[in-house]
């Protein structure tokens, strides 16, 4: 069994009244001048942004606002935030939004005390030793950034999307009110659930499959997210099921499902090239890649795929033919993706055929100019990456 460290310092404040505590939480974690960071219009439209600003004001906490974070958040917006925070003397960053806003907030927080270019961290040229504290009011359960140590930023120069992980960036607190997710469009709801299920699956498909409790937890999350997403598709204001999904997004990516196993992340890395190049929704990009990845790698640990088929996708176990059972599990997952409006290949994702040149370019980027591999379940070289992209073209 793999040794592990489990570090999850974020204070989660969950429920319908959770937002009321925002000012006292900011004070608790030392904030005196706050950057309220947000995305497009959703937090304005719902009144959440005004509510949060009003509560900070009532709590005598000074703040400045910076909106305009787009999905697949851009480096240029973070650089604007870094300048603003330095100019205003900001000492705490509060993200009001989803993974994109939280990741942009983390990038700003790294950049403020750093004398060089914040992109250095994402390029692996530097490691952060200090940053401003970050916290969030979550509005879309998906990326898990509200408890994770990761942030993923797109540099518009070259459409390069890179992640940087550092425990320092785990948010101080995460306010989660499931009611705030009632306004999510079905596509974002489905993409979010796909992402959190994939965060679980990236750790579930492992060769170190002897930490049974982690496996049990992962299967429970996957089954629960499937049921819950079907229910909220029928009834978007189902608080109970929205709450399952909101908490699911956090536990899927706060490290719990990675205890004692080696994680893979190949589907994520292959996807980041898709959202970097085509600016697609991350969760949808994952759904477009995973079935091809799964078929390509399943023989590395066929038992794991059989277990997934039977325990998660409710496929009857044909003990005489494990390969067929495993394949039926992958097909059942494709049917699930279609049921919730997700694509199962790149053509469905981008609405046209992907060209050979585009596949070559994604392969080049994903393999860091043919120098790097990705994945653990099966270690993928550039040729493997290209083969999976070709299988996924649809
Ligand atoms: O910009 P607004 O108007 O707020 O609209 C957003 C956005 O268009 C909308 N939205 C959010 N809350 C809403 C809402 N619409 C209605 N009602 C609400 N309550 O949803 C859209 C998507 O938001 P975004 O923040 O982009 O979604 P998500 O949380 O899926 O974040 C995706 C980003 O996170 C990265 C992805 O690569 C992608 O860039 N990831 C971050 C990770 C991490 N930091 O640990 C891990 C993930 O694997 C992922 O890579
Ligand atoms: Zn993800």
């Amino acid at each position: 069994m793999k040794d592990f460290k489990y570090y999850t310092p974020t204070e989660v404040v969950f429920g319908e009244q959770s937002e009321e505590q925002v000012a006292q939480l900011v004070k608790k974690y030392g904030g005196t001048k706050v950057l309220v960071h947000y995305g497009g219009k959703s937090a304005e439209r719902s009144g959440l942004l005004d509510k949060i600003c009003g509560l900070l004001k009532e709590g005598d906490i000074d703040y400045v606002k910076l909106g305009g974070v787009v999905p697949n958040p851009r480096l240029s917006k973070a650089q604007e935030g870094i300048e603003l925070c330095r100019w205003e003397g900001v000492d705490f960053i509060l993200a009001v939004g989803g993974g994109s806003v939280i990741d942009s907030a983390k990038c700003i927080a790294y950049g403020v005390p750093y004398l060089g270019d914040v992109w250095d961290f994402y390029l692996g040229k530097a490691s952060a030793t200090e940053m401003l504290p970050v916290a969030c009011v979550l509005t879309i359960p998906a990326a898990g950034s509200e408890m994770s140590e990761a942030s993923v930023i797109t540099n518009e120069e070259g459409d390069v999307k890179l992640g940087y992980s550092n425990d320092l960036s785990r948010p101080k607190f995460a306010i989660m009110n499931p009611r705030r997710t009632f306004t999510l469009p079905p596509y974002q709801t489905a993409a979010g659930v796909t992402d959190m299920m994939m965060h679980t699956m990236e750790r579930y498909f492992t060769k170190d499959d002897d930490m049974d409790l982690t496996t049990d937890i992962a299967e429970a999350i996957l089954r629960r997210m499937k049921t819950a997403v079907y229910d909220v598709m029928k009834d978007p204001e189902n608080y109970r099921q929205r709450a399952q999904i909101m908490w699911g997004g956090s536990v899927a990516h706060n490290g719990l499902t990675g205890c004692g196993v080696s994680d893979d992340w190949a589907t994520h890395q292959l996807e980041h090239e898709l959202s970097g190049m085509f600016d697609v929704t991350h969760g949808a990009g994952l759904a477009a890649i995973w079935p091809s990845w799964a078929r390509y790698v399943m023989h590395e640990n066929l038992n794991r795929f059989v277990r997934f088929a039977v325990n998660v996708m409710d496929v009857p176990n044909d003990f005489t033919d494990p390969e067929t059972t495993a394949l039926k599990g992958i097909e059942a997952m494709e049917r699930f993706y279609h049921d919730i409006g997700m694509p199962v290949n790149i053509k469905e994702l981008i609405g046209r055929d992907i060209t050979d040149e585009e596949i070559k370019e994604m392969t080049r980027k994903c393999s860091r100019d043919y120098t790097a591999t990705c994945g653990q379940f099966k270690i993928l070289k550039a040729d493997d990456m290209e083969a999976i992209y070709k299988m996924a073209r649809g």
Side-chain angles (χ1 to χ4, degrees):
M1 188 179 301
K2 199 167 173 267
D3 295 353
F4 65 91
K5 176 195 85 168
Y6 179 55
Y7 177 66
T8 309
T10 303
E11 179 171 350
V12 173
V13 184
F14 194 100
E16 295 201 67
Q17 304 306 318
S18 52
E19 291 140 25
E20 306 298 330
Q21 299 178 43
V22 67
Q24 76 194 61
L25 285 164
V26 168
K27 284 182 190 161
K28 176 174 173 181
Y29 290 99
T32 62
K33 175 90 184 243
V34 177
L35 174 72
V36 178
H37 199 35
Y38 59 99
K41 292 279 168 230
S42 76
E44 282 176 30
R45 248 190 330 258
S46 69
L48 176 63
L49 193 66
D50 280 349
K51 180 168 185 189
I52 295 297
C53 291
L55 288 165
L56 292 177
K57 211 168 172 180
E58 273 174 36
D60 282 328
I61 298 171
D62 204 4
Y63 65 86
V64 284
K65 294 197 288 186
L66 177 65
V69 179
V70 293
N72 303 316
R74 308 297 199 266
L75 180 62
S76 58
K77 176 57 70 177
Q79 281 163 337
E80 186 186 338
I82 292 167
E83 290 309 314
L84 179 68
C85 287
R86 287 179 180 155
W87 179 257
E88 294 282 349
V90 164
D91 59 15
F92 194 97
I93 306 187
L94 182 66
V96 180
S100 296
V101 178
I102 303 169
D103 286 2
S104 181
K106 290 177 179 178
C107 185
I108 295 170
Y110 286 128
V112 173
Y114 183 59
L115 297 177
D117 181 352
V118 71
W119 190 240
D120 289 350
F121 298 124
Y122 296 83
L123 286 173
K125 286 186 183 168
S127 180
T129 52
E130 56 174 336
M131 68 187 292
L132 295 189
V134 172
C136 65
V137 181
L138 187 67
T139 63
I140 169 172
S145 189
E146 67 276 10
M147 292 183 84
S148 86
E149 83 290 30
S151 66
V152 189
I153 296 292
T154 298
N155 186 343
E156 301 91 315
E157 273 178 37
D159 292 334
V160 183
K161 185 173 182 180
L162 292 176
Y164 175 55
S165 293
N166 187 320
D167 272 334
L168 287 175
S169 78
R170 290 187 192 267
K172 299 295 174 204
F173 64 82
I175 288 175
M176 300 190 215
N177 177 356
R179 194 166 286 281
R180 293 290 176 190
T181 68
F182 288 0
T183 52
L184 279 171
Y187 190 79
Q188 288 299 338
T189 300
V193 169
T194 301
D195 191 18
M196 62 186 74
M197 289 178 76
M198 195 60 67
H199 293 159
T200 310
M201 288 150 67
E202 295 279 18
R203 295 154 166 124
Y204 179 87
F205 290 103
T206 177
K207 288 179 177 167
D208 306 304
D209 54 8
D210 51 357
M211 181 40 114
D212 304 310
L213 183 58
T214 296
T215 299
D216 294 342
I217 292 169
E219 289 174 352
I221 293 171
L222 293 171
R223 281 196 307 272
R224 180 59 60 199
M225 292 307 104
K226 264 174 54 203
T227 321
V229 73
Y230 280 127
D231 284 352
V232 298
M233 287 297 169
K234 280 186 259 150
D235 175 11
E237 304 202 353
N238 183 329
Y239 183 90
R240 178 176 177 155
Q241 299 301 6
R242 288 284 191 190
Q244 314 302 316
I245 293 174
M246 199 161 208
W247 185 223
S250 299
V251 293
H253 202 35
N254 70 3
L256 185 63
T257 57
C259 293
V261 301
S262 58
D263 36 9
D264 187 72
W265 299 106
T267 306
H268 264 74
Q269 283 183 254
L270 292 163
E271 191 290 324
H272 281 170
E273 303 313 330
L274 275 175
S275 43
M277 185 177 281
F278 300 106
D279 202 17
V280 290
T281 301
H282 168 63
L286 294 169
I289 291 288
W290 185 79
S292 298
W293 172 85
R295 289 189 175 94
Y296 194 80
V297 305
M298 67 182 200
H299 291 287
E300 297 292 314
N301 184 353
L302 197 57
N303 282 343
R304 205 63 172 168
F305 275 91
V306 170
R307 195 178 160 142
F308 174 78
V310 175
N311 288 0
V312 178
M313 304 311 296
D314 299 322
V315 171
N317 197 348
D318 178 352
F319 291 96
T320 62
D321 188 355
E323 184 170 333
T324 300
T325 306
L327 282 169
K328 282 185 179 167
I330 298 168
E331 286 160 15
M333 194 68 188
E334 288 177 314
R335 280 195 298 280
F336 166 70
Y337 285 150
H338 274 163
D339 280 355
I340 62 171
M342 288 288 102
V344 299
N345 58 51
I346 298 173
K347 188 171 185 179
E348 290 180 4
L349 176 73
I350 65 173
R352 65 162 171 84
D353 289 318
I354 188 166
T355 65
D356 287 338
E357 290 68 36
E358 286 166 335
I359 286 182
K360 284 204 178 332
E361 179 61 1
M362 290 198 300
T363 303
R364 183 187 69 73
K365 286 180 175 170
C366 195
S367 63
R368 309 284 174 261
D369 285 318
Y370 312 104
T371 61
T373 61
C374 73
Q376 290 286 333
F377 190 73
K378 178 178 172 66
I379 295 175
L380 304 177
K381 300 192 183 111
D383 285 352
D384 302 307
M385 298 172 199
E386 187 170 349
I388 293 171
Y389 282 135
K390 283 186 172 159
M391 278 172 75
R393 70 195 318 170

